């Protein structure tokens, strides 16, 4: 036993608890009478966090051993382990072992250990104080966690931990610690104030307001809480409240000069230049020579120089906070007179676009071009608006004019290449615009980029404006065209950043280190992309993988889904338009990732630029936008085993990784608790509702006849679609269906309904009210089909040759439902008609969907396979 005891002590020192368990179990097989092995076996289980197993082992040993003697041995073992933990400054382990001794003998006392604990706690308190003084926040965090491991009822320690996390910019952990402090004592003003600071930083003004108000309820003289309330109200455009709180801050703290500066900013928006100037001068008298004061006084003088400027300044403020209605109110005051700043016209037009008034935006672009004929951005924006709300020929004709006006601007040549209808009228049109795209792309490749610095910079800016998004909705294999475009992007990125296209060595994973995985998307918010791939993060092995998220949405839109990604990331970065491309690249490279995964490429132009560089040794893309990138810098396409056809390799420039099943771990969505009825959506109570809810640009004209055939055979049906954001696009689609129905001898209006765009809750209501879900043939439903499954809808699909036409097929395979998978268009019609006509069969399929739907939700098989793939490329496992 002596040799074994030495080995046991060695394993305990090295914290090899699993090996300790193995040693004890082996020893007990040959020496079951050596009860001390049981006590160490229980210690091994306890050290791994399995308290129940430890207690069971100890109890069985104490019953077989002499109870008093066994209890003494166990107390000695635990006391020795406490002493070892104290030598390692491990108060968490001290607490665990102390609790176990007291559970065995509640009268146990060891003055020597108690003195050591007191000494250690005091030394840690002194150390954390020093760490805070020198702003060593990681050290402070480590010490506070040690102290709380010993005693988690000390409010000051939870607050200190929260404050340290806040200073270390780990806001999620800061909130968690602060909630613990508040649960123990919610009557401390500083605690609520810190909650306000965190939520303010996390762009959660509603909770921040509540926290600051609670601060003032507990301490009405908390001046900085008034100041911060003023900041929040200023940011959300409530200028009266902002004024009120800034003035209260000044009243309580008359020498706090930032309140004078910020109150002056409010008065500038109110166009009270004299009042703002007075406040800035007061701030200067408090702290003279401050650069902020000088800048603001210079701003006042600038705004005084032209009567247009104060109005434009107010408009820009409201535009900046996305209050487009009030921005238009201000901008309209200057309408009809020439405005020197081109941004006036750009922002006024964009305000109309945000309010779904694109015709008014076109009028503004024309006015801006009249006064600023050399401003290329006005022309570009007009092209984009024309594509949305006018026949595509108008946009193309105008773009040709722009190419002549700006012959050296690649952006107009790219627009001429990209322009195609959002919704096609005929199949012939598809071939025409595909040929046009090919022809212009070939011409651009021959001349781009030029050798001059100006040409390189122009090319870089041009590919950062838009993508070739609509090309992928023609139902064709885009590999060849994507490779050409990918090579063009790569060539432009290489010309501008030659240092960032070189191969990178995979960093070695040293002992105690994790594999660093980055996920990048412009859609880490309530969006299909965020919904599809969140499960990869939620179920990852935290002890082996370190998650970095890069949100590249230029508009900085954040919501509850953004927060979910923040919660699942060790490092989360939000890059709005203020970040230069170089800043983003340098930050990603600084993180020294092993693997960078682009959740989608092809929907956001800046993402495409980043993907054209080498920012990690291994770069992957997945099917947030399910089309090959054609980029030589993307190594792998992470796809789904069930979604890919046999010929998948001929569709991708990347190596394809087919994860099991759907490749995603998708949580079941939360459905509305209350239910609306059909009348809320103008749907017939006695109709068979066929829901076909894809974006309208996914529907190709050659498949329209299917809807007419279904209507002909199910005369009491109602076919339900969802409108596009552009009424012109929606009307073009409706005209197309009206024509095909007329050819079939039917009146489209008797069968078809195009609902306006719906919020998430109403969208679920429509799914719950429908009878049948009709999948689209050329571009299948992914997220929409999973949501239909959650609502129990029978699904009709006909898989195509490309992965993007096979999502619903894979989902039905997972459900074990083959009856509604068609092999051709005629069979698709037959299945849809039978579901509409045969109530019993429809209910059987619905029942099968509801019984099996758990199979498609929260599937972690794919996550395990994904992580095996990550390991294989990082460790180069064959």
């Amino acid at each position: 036993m002596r040799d074994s005891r030495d080995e046991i002590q060695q394993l305990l020192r090295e914290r090899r608890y699993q090996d300790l368990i193995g040693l004890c179990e082996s020893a007990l097989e040959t020496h079951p009478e050596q009860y001390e092995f049981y006590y160490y076996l229980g210690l091994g289980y306890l050290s791994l966090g399995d308290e129940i197993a430890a207690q069971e082992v100890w109890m069985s040993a104490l019953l077989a051993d002499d109870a008093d003697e066994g209890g003494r041995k166990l107390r000695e073992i635990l006391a020795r382990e406490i002493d070892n933990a104290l030598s390692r400054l491990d108060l968490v382990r001290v607490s665990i072992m102390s609790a176990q001794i007291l559970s065995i003998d509640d009268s146990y006392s060891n003055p020597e250990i108690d003195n050591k604990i007191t000494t250690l706690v005091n030394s840690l308190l002194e150390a954390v104080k020093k760490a805070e003084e020198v702003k060593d926040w990681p050290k402070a965090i480590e010490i506070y966690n040690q102290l709380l491991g010993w005693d988690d009822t000390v409010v000051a320690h939870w607050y200190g931990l929260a404050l340290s996390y806040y200073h270390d910019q780990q806001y999620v952990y800061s909130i968690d610690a602060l909630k613990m402090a508040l649960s123990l004592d919610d009557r401390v003003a500083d605690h609520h104030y810190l909650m306000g600071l965190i939520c303010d930083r996390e762009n959660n003004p509603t909770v921040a307001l509540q926290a600051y108000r609670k601060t003032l309820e507990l301490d009405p003289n908390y001046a900085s809480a008034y100041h911060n309330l003023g900041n929040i109200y200023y940011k959300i455009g409530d200028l009266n409240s902002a004024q009120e709180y800034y003035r209260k801050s000044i009243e309580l703290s008359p020498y706090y000069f930032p309140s004078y500066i910020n109150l002056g900013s409010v008065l500038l928006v109110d166009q009270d230049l004299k009042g703002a100037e007075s406040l800035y001068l007061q701030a200067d008298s408090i702290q003279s020579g401050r650069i902020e004061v000088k800048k603001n006084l210079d701003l006042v003088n600038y705004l005084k120089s032209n009567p247009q400027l104060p109005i434009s300044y107010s408009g820009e403020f409201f535009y900046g906070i996305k209050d487009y209605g009030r921005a238009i109110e201000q901008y309209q005051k200057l309408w009809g007179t020439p405005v020197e700043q081109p941004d006036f016209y750009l922002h006024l037009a964009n305000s109309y676009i945000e309010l779904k008034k694109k015709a008014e935006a076109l009028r503004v672009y024309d006015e801006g071009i009249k006064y600023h004929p050399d401003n290329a951005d006005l022309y570009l924006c007009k092209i984009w608006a024309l594509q949305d709300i006018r026949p595509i020929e108008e946009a193309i004709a105008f773009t040709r004019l722009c190419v002549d006006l700006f012959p050296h601007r690649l952006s107009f040549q790219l627009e001429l290449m990209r322009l195609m209808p959002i919704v096609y009228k005929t199949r012939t049109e598809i071939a025409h615009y595909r040929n046009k795209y090919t022809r212009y792309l070939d011409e651009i490749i021959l001349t781009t980029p030029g050798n001059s610095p100006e040409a390189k910079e122009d090319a870089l800016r041009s590919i950062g404006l838009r993508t070739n998004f609509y090309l992928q909705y023609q139902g064709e294999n885009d590999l060849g065209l994507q490779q050409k475009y990918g090579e063009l992007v790569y060539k432009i990125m290489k010309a501008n950043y030659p240092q960032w296209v070189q191969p990178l060595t995979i960093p070695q994973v040293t002992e105690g280190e994790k594999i660093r995985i980055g996920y990048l998307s412009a859609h880490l918010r309530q969006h299909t992309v965020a919904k599809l791939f969140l499960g990869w993060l939620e179920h990852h092995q935290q002890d082996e993988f370190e998650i970095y998220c890069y949100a590249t949405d230029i508009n900085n839109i954040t919501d509850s889904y953004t927060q979910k990604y923040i919660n699942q990331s060790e490092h989360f970065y939000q890059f709005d338009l203020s970040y230069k491309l170089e800043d983003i690249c340098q930050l990603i490279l600084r993180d020294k990732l092993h693997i960078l995964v682009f959740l989608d490429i092809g929907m956001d132009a800046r993402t495409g630029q980043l993907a054209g560089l080498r920012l990690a040794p291994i770069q992957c893309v997945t099917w947030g936008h399910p089309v090959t990138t054609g980029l030589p810098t993307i190594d792998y396409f992470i796809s789904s085993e069930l979604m890919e056809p046999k010929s998948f390799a001929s569709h991708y420039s990347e190596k394809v990784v087919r994860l099991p099943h759907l490749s995603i771990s998708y949580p079941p969505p939360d459905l509305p608790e209350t239910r609306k009825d059909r009348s809320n959506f103008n749907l017939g109570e006695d109709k068979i509702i066929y829901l076909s809810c894809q974006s309208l640009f996914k529907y190709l004209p050659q498949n329209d006849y299917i809807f007419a055939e279904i209507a002909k055979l199910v005369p009491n049906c109602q076919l339900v679609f969802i409108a596009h954001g552009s009424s012109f696009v929606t009307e073009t689609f409706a005209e197309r269906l009206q024509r095909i129905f007329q050819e079939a001898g039917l009146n489209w209006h008797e069968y078809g309904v195009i609902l306006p765009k719906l919020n998430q809750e109403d969208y679920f209501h429509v799914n719950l009210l429908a009878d049948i879900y009709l999948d689209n043939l050329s571009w299948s439903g992914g997220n929409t089909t999973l949501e239909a499954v959650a609502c129990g809808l029978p699904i009709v699909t006909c898989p195509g040759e490309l992965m993007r036409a096979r999502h619903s097929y894979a989902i039905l395979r997972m459900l074990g439902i083959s009856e509604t998978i068609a092999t051709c268009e005629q069979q698709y019609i037959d299945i849809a008609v039978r579901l509409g006509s045969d109530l019993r069969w429809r209910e059987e399929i619905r029942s099968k969907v509801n019984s099996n739907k758990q199979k498609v939700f929260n599937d972690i098989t794919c996550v395990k396979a994904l992580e095996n793939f990550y390991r294989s490329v990082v460790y180069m496992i064959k």
Side-chain angles (χ1 to χ4, degrees), residues 362-578:
L362 269 180
R363 182 168 57 91
V364 174
Y365 291 134
D366 286 337
E367 186 84 353
I369 288 168
K370 181 170 72 175
Y371 295 120
H372 299 279
D374 297 327
N375 187 278
D377 290 340
L378 286 165
Y379 292 86
L380 280 167
C381 289
K382 181 178 177 181
I383 291 169
W384 302 335
L386 284 170
Q387 184 180 25
D388 274 354
I389 67 170
R390 295 279 180 84
I392 195 65
E393 294 80 9
E394 286 190 39
I396 291 171
F398 181 71
T399 307
R400 287 200 173 104
L401 202 102
C402 294
V403 169
D404 293 338
L405 284 171
F406 302 95
H408 302 298
R409 294 293 295 268
L410 175 63
S411 51
F412 293 106
Q413 298 170 47
L414 286 172
E415 287 307 322
L416 197 55
M417 173 191 81
R418 292 184 183 123
L419 281 173
M420 53 188 68
I422 295 174
V423 167
Y424 295 100
K425 294 179 181 177
T426 66
R427 187 171 189 170
T428 306
E429 267 194 332
I430 298 174
H432 168 76
Y433 285 102
R434 194 170 183 84
N435 289 334
K436 179 180 79 71
Y437 179 93
T438 305
R439 186 172 69 254
Y440 282 120
L441 176 58
D442 287 341
E443 291 175 8
I444 289 169
I445 286 170
L446 291 174
T447 58
T448 304
N451 293 322
S452 70
E454 295 78 14
K456 293 175 186 177
E457 185 180 340
D458 175 69
L460 176 68
R461 183 173 57 248
S462 297
I463 61 167
L465 293 173
R466 290 221 290 178
T467 71
N468 54 353
F469 178 76
Y470 289 114
L471 173 72
Q472 279 87 58
Y473 295 92
Q474 297 177 337
E476 303 282 346
N477 181 356
D478 295 319
L479 175 60
L481 290 176
Q482 285 292 88
Q483 284 179 307
K484 285 184 178 182
Y485 186 74
E487 286 290 344
L488 173 65
V489 170
Y490 174 73
K491 189 164 67 168
I492 292 169
M493 299 309 294
K494 182 179 181 180
N496 282 274
Y497 305 109
Q499 73 278 24
W500 289 337
V501 294
Q502 304 304 318
L504 297 174
T505 304
I506 300 176
Q508 186 177 356
V509 182
T510 58
E511 187 176 348
E513 224 183 353
K514 299 178 183 179
I515 296 174
R516 294 180 291 279
I517 309 293
Y519 292 102
L520 187 149
S521 175
H523 303 99
L524 298 185
R525 49 186 166 81
Q526 184 152 332
H527 186 279
T528 293
V529 172
K531 292 177 182 179
L532 290 176
F533 301 105
L534 179 62
W536 284 1
L537 281 70
E538 288 182 327
H539 301 296
H540 82 280
Q541 293 291 322
Q542 296 182 15
D543 60 340
E544 192 175 355
F545 298 94
E546 188 171 353
I547 302 300
Y548 295 71
C549 273
Y550 309 98
T552 57
D553 178 14
I554 61 173
N555 296 312
N556 200 27
I557 298 172
T558 59
D559 56 26
S560 60
Y561 264 91
T562 312
Q563 189 60 50
K564 289 177 182 179
Y565 274 86
I566 291 171
N567 293 344
Q568 297 301 326
S569 309
E570 280 87 352
H571 311 273
F572 186 95
Y573 305 95
Q574 187 90 32
F575 301 118
D576 60 17
L577 197 54
S578 65

